[in-house]
Amino acid sequence: MKNTNSRKLGLEVIGEVPWGTHLCSFYDSINDYFDIIKPYFKTGLENNEFCLWVIPKDLEQEKAFEILQTAIPNLDYYQRKRQIEILSHSECYLNKGRFDGDAVITNLRKMLDKALSAGFDGLRGEGDLSWLGTNRWRAFKDYEFELGNTMFNKKFLTVCSYPLKKIGAKEIIDVIENHQYALIKRNEKWIYAKSFIDMVDKLLEIQSHIKGENIELIKQGAAKDTFFNISSHEIKTPLTSIKGYTQMLIKEQLGTINEQQKKALEILKRNTDFLEHLTNNYLSLAQLQAGTMKFMVEKIPIKSLIKDTMDIICPLADSKKIKIDVRLTEGLPPLNIDADKIKQVLINIIGNAIKFSPEGALININVKKKNEYILFEIQDYGLGIPKNEHEKIFEMFFQSESIRNKNIKGTGLGLPISKTIVEAYGGQIWVDSKIGKGSTFSFTLPINLVKEIKINLVK
Ligand code: ADP
């Protein structure tokens, strides 16, 4: 059966996309711009879609029509059928010279309804942003975000085209954040990047879907086939390569870069680290649920465990000017653990401490021997957690009421996964916290190898 949700884009670089896809393209010259426009609209018109084209600021409507006609000789016919509308930027985006994102979205919704009731399959749009100046950047970024939400699940496709000459590295990242695909021409070939944020969104989407509808199924272990089939290889291999190349670019191993490029790459690196951390938690959950998580046991010196963790976490702390003070008792014995798993626990806890602390705060990490165990303590002076939630925060998908309105990102996976890992190695994990004063997360790991690794996934 034909999948009616999937549409041909008409572009060589991306074949089909589902309705609701929000793309962006970065172009250098007007020829590059038309590289996308011509096949994009040709395919839309041939596939019974209503086409809305918001043309570049410096292009007259008549001229735009003529250029498009070179690729679509019967463009007149489609125009008579009222299947294509060509607007100037001010007709589409401005109202008496003012940009009002909500009004634009309302208009687009109306256009979509009209297109559907006229018998078209949906709306295919393209908007050129050569008119957009820095003064309207914020408002437009919010509009792009809302547009993505509005289009979701609707018979709507759109490409937002940004001229590279008018935007800098920061703006490029803003744009990529709000689109599912970013098209760019490199060495005479169009390539696309599927944005990192999209990957995060996809994961969050899967999570919230599961949270809302399938939570019972998860408890029964029956959702394995959907969510848990994500292959770690498919996600981690590209991430590792992105990280590796970003690092090489920052270190100027591939040529010199300027300050602005360096800043953009550092943001990219932080986002990739965050995504990797998130992915690790999702994959751990998948493997724990499917019973395929491997717990290796190796003798690991605590010093190197902490150093490796710090290498990952310090850029995140630096971005909030947070100081981390590590105290390690001398002469601690090595641990019999899987270093990657315990690093994941530490990153989850220290990452939270950073996330819930104000800028410039201090975080203390203490590692010492306590009886037959090594005790790790991570203390922050951040938001704190109300007493009635001290146990709940270790439950799957739990997020405190107190942070819901604070626009703090999270998944509610870090602590339950950490608890499952620590307990599998025969340790314990707990929190001591006062609202407004801060929190201390502690966990223990036995010095002697546990006889049997028991996995009890926290529910
Ligand atoms: P999340 O991805 O939401 O941080 P976690 O499982 O790591 O998921 O944490 C669950 C919840 O516990 C958080 O949403 C937050 O409410 C609370 N929490 C965890 N660590 C801290 C902390 N250091 N300070 C304040 N609250 C915290």
Side-chain angles (χ1 to χ4, degrees):
M1 201 171 77
K2 190 173 171 349
N3 181 0
T4 52
N5 187 37
S6 141
R7 309 302 295 183
K8 282 205 179 77
L9 261 189
L11 310 179
E12 235 172 70
V13 55
I14 306 173
E16 299 197 349
V17 293
W19 277 126
T21 304
H22 189 197
L23 303 98
C24 60
S25 86
F26 299 103
Y27 67 90
D28 215 7
S29 65
I30 199 75
N31 286 345
D32 288 352
Y33 171 75
F34 275 104
D35 262 5
I36 299 283
I37 295 297
K38 287 177 182 173
Y40 176 70
F41 280 131
K42 184 170 191 291
T43 309
L45 292 168
E46 287 171 358
N47 286 297
N48 193 40
E49 293 167 15
F50 176 77
C51 295
L52 169 68
W53 182 21
V54 186
I55 58 175
K57 186 169 167 250
D58 298 327
L59 195 65
E60 289 187 350
Q61 290 190 357
E62 249 171 59
K63 183 79 192 151
F65 188 91
E66 265 172 36
I67 301 179
L68 191 58
Q69 208 170 23
T70 58
I72 313 168
N74 54 346
L75 191 58
D76 278 336
Y77 160 75
Y78 289 116
Q79 202 177 35
R80 279 199 305 280
K81 250 179 89 187
R82 293 180 187 276
Q83 195 180 340
I84 181 162
E85 186 153 353
I86 304 176
L87 297 180
S88 69
H89 75 282
S90 54
E91 284 169 315
C92 175
Y93 293 113
L94 304 179
N95 183 4
K96 298 192 184 109
R98 267 193 62 236
F99 170 69
D100 175 355
D102 291 342
V104 181
I105 287 178
T106 309
N107 273 341
L108 289 174
R109 277 216 193 98
K110 281 187 194 153
M111 267 191 204
L112 172 64
D113 290 343
K114 216 170 127 189
L116 292 175
S117 49
F120 297 114
D121 286 6
L123 193 159
R124 169 176 298 231
E126 192 280 340
D128 180 83
L129 286 320
S130 48
W131 59 275
L132 188 62
T134 42
N135 56 334
R136 292 186 176 121
W137 189 261
R138 243 230 90 85
F140 198 80
K141 190 181 157 196
D142 293 345
Y143 153 81
E144 284 271 51
F145 177 77
E146 261 329 297
L147 179 63
N149 285 342
T150 306
M151 289 172 53
F152 182 69
N153 263 345
K154 297 210 176 58
K155 300 204 162 184
F156 203 151
L157 272 186
T158 198
V159 177
C160 303
S161 306
Y162 289 83
L164 278 169
K165 286 192 188 93
K166 290 202 64 174
I167 55 176
K170 188 188 153 301
E171 286 79 21
I172 291 181
I173 289 168
D174 280 350
V175 175
I176 291 180
E177 268 186 9
N178 277 329
H179 295 82
Q180 282 131 307
Y181 292 89
L183 294 160
I184 190 150
K185 200 168 184 185
R186 181 149 327 138
N187 299 333
E188 290 308 302
K189 266 188 86 170
W190 283 94
I191 57 163
Y192 74 88
K194 218 168 177 320
S195 73
F196 308 121
I197 300 299
D198 172 58
M199 278 156 98
V200 176
D201 279 352
K202 283 262 150 54
L203 292 168
L204 290 174
E205 211 179 275
I206 296 170
Q207 180 228 324
S208 70
H209 176 66
I210 288 172
K211 192 172 171 182
E213 294 174 24
N214 288 357
I215 202 131
E216 281 313 309
L217 284 176
I218 293 177
K219 281 186 182 160
Q220 294 158 18
K224 280 178 198 157
D225 290 348
T226 52
F227 174 59
F228 304 128
N229 275 346
I230 304 171
S231 131
S232 80
H233 184 71
E234 263 170 77
I235 299 178
K236 291 186 99 172
T237 309
L239 262 186
T240 311
S241 121
I242 295 168
K243 265 187 74 160
Y245 280 116
T246 313
Q247 195 64 35
M248 280 164 82
L249 286 164
I250 293 176
K251 288 188 176 160
E252 300 197 325
Q253 287 166 342
L254 303 177
T256 47
I257 53 171
N258 64 32
E259 268 312 298
Q260 205 185 11
Q261 288 164 336
K262 192 164 184 182
K263 273 198 190 125
L265 287 166
E266 271 157 5
I267 296 173
L268 189 64
K269 168 134 190 341
R270 272 207 303 281
N271 276 315
T272 319
D273 284 343
F274 170 70
L275 183 60
E276 187 180 42
H277 162 67
L278 202 68
T279 311
N280 281 341
N281 278 341
Y282 273 99
L283 292 173
S284 296
L285 174 64
Q287 290 166 355
L288 285 166
Q289 288 273 2
T292 56
M293 183 179 274
K294 293 194 179 61
F295 283 81
M296 323 264 278
V297 178
E298 273 179 291
K299 263 200 183 343
I300 305 289
I302 294 175
K303 237 184 196 163
S304 74
L305 179 74
I306 298 289
K307 185 189 168 299
D308 290 352
T309 308
M310 285 303 130
D311 283 348
I312 298 172
I313 214 79
C314 279
L316 190 67
D318 289 347
S319 70
K320 279 183 83 176
K321 300 190 179 61
I322 286 177
K323 184 173 176 296
I324 303 183
D325 188 19
V326 184
R327 280 166 203 229
L328 218 64
T329 311
E330 275 301 314
L332 290 175
L335 282 168
N336 291 293
I337 47 161
D338 180 333
D340 282 343
K341 300 259 172 328
I342 303 303
K343 244 191 301 178
Q344 192 180 349
V345 171
L346 284 164
I347 292 169
N348 278 332
I349 298 176
I350 307 169
N352 279 344
I354 295 172
K355 187 161 72 172
F356 296 109
S357 289
E359 284 229 351
L362 173 71
I363 292 171
N364 292 311
I365 300 180
N366 246 309
V367 188
K368 56 191 172 198
K369 188 164 172 280
K370 193 172 179 216
N371 305 325
E372 295 312 304
Y373 292 85
I374 299 293
L375 172 65
F376 294 77
E377 289 172 326
I378 295 99
Q379 180 188 25
D380 69 60
Y381 299 92
L383 280 182
I385 304 160
K387 186 135 191 65
N388 63 334
E389 291 180 353
H390 285 193
E391 285 188 15
K392 286 193 195 135
I393 53 170
F394 292 100
E395 288 171 12
M396 206 60 90
F397 300 126
F398 180 83
Q399 285 183 302
S400 174
E401 275 301 328
S402 52
I403 64 151
R404 291 247 163 91
N405 316 325
K406 290 204 162 70
N407 195 20
I408 299 178
K409 278 189 199 155
T411 60
L413 279 179
L415 291 178
I417 285 173
S418 302
K419 183 171 159 73
T420 306
I421 294 174
V422 167
E423 289 179 352
Y425 282 104
Q428 285 188 317
I429 186 167
W430 67 95
V431 67
D432 206 5
S433 177
K434 269 212 180 94
I435 199 98
K437 294 260 186 292
S439 314
T440 302
F441 280 83
S442 313
F443 69 93
T444 55
L445 290 171
I447 295 167
N448 293 321
L449 184 63
V450 280
K451 284 201 188 73
E452 193 190 350
I453 292 189
K454 280 203 198 112
I455 305 160
N456 283 316
L457 179 58
V458 175
K459 296 279 155 68

